[in-house]
Amino acid sequence: MSRTMQIDIRLVPAYGSGGLAKAYPRCAAMFRDAGKERIVEESPSLFHLVDELVRLMNDPAVPERWKRPLGLHLDRLKRCRDEARDHLLGRRLNDLDQALYRLEDAFDDLEKDLAW
């Protein structure tokens, strides 16, 4: 590695105006209902959001109306995130790009199954 330069490859959210709340309003409602408004305000990337979903699933205070659909999708979301992480760490950027598309698709499916 160079003494004066470094390579920086990182995932950043790109939801556009309105952030997470506009891109995934039902997910945002779930976080707000669970008292996690900060997550909606910060709008982390979907990659980073998977860990927050795991925390929600394990939180006994989260209502069953959210846990039911979350339970249907959480394994797929974690698999997609883990695959993306492997590609990120291996610097396989084309594979990472495809894995992130699959993660996005998994979030789209979760969004459809979340009830208001």
Side-chain angles (χ1 to χ4, degrees), residues 54-73:
V54 170
R55 286 186 193 93
L56 280 184
M57 191 65 180
N58 294 326
D59 186 342
V62 173
E64 195 61 33
R65 67 183 275 234
W66 299 119
K67 284 189 174 185
R68 223 173 292 115
L70 186 54
L72 296 173
H73 297 276

Side-chain angles (χ1 to χ4, degrees), residues 19-112:
L20 174 67
K22 185 173 182 184
Y24 294 94
R26 293 177 179 180
C27 284
M30 176 178 61
F31 281 114
R32 286 189 186 109
D33 191 49
K36 309 286 184 184
E37 295 87 1
R38 175 191 56 82
I39 293 169
V40 178
E41 292 168 9
E42 292 176 1
S43 287
S45 71
L46 297 180
F47 180 89
H48 295 99
L49 206 54
V50 173
D51 287 333
E52 297 297 339
L53 294 175
V54 170
R55 286 186 193 93
L56 280 184
M57 191 65 180
N58 294 326
D59 186 342
V62 173
E64 195 61 33
R65 67 183 275 234
W66 299 119
K67 284 189 174 185
R68 223 173 292 115
L70 186 54
L72 296 173
H73 297 276
L74 195 55
D75 285 341
R76 179 179 171 211
L77 290 162
K78 290 190 299 187
R79 276 193 313 274
C80 291
R81 187 263 331 261
D82 292 346
E83 179 186 354
R85 179 186 296 135
D86 289 344
H87 294 312
L88 177 64
L89 294 173
R91 306 296 196 253
R92 295 181 301 273
L93 301 183
N94 287 335
D95 294 331
L96 172 60
D97 188 47
Q98 293 304 309
L100 293 176
Y101 277 119
R102 286 189 291 279
L103 180 60
E104 193 173 87
D105 290 343
F107 265 92
D108 290 344
D109 291 342
L110 172 62
E111 179 74 11
K112 289 175 189 170

